Amino acid sequence: MTDTLRTATPADLDALCALEARTFDARDRFPRRNLRRLLASGSIRILLCEIGGQLAGSSILSFRKGARV
């Protein structure tokens, strides 16, 4: 079994939406449209954790130009 941490691509949109649906209540999950925008953003990185080839988790990192933190 292989564990992988990698950057998400637009090709991962369906898997990200499925993960959101499995993990969060409808009022707390990111809508598909928002995830698509995040994937296309130059200031956002979405990292994916895969275990045995299956998506197990994600992390959304936001970078702001000129931010001190």
Side-chain angles (χ1 to χ4, degrees):
M1 187 179 302
T2 303
D3 298 349
T4 305
L5 184 63
R6 65 178 179 82
T7 301
T9 68
D12 295 308
L13 182 58
D14 288 339
L16 276 168
C17 289
L19 179 65
E20 287 280 318
R22 286 192 315 267
T23 308
F24 299 106
D25 185 83
R27 64 181 175 234
D28 294 327
R29 67 180 73 129
F30 278 105
R32 182 181 187 85
R33 183 169 91 186
N34 290 19
L35 288 170
R36 187 182 310 116
R37 287 181 183 163
L38 292 173
L39 286 166
S41 172
S43 62
I44 302 286
R45 294 292 180 270
I46 301 178
L47 299 179
L48 302 180
C49 175
E50 295 176 334
I51 298 174
Q54 297 295 316
L55 185 57
S58 66
S59 176
I60 299 174
L61 306 169
S62 177
F63 302 92
R64 292 187 322 168
K65 186 175 184 175
R68 294 178 191 206
V69 189

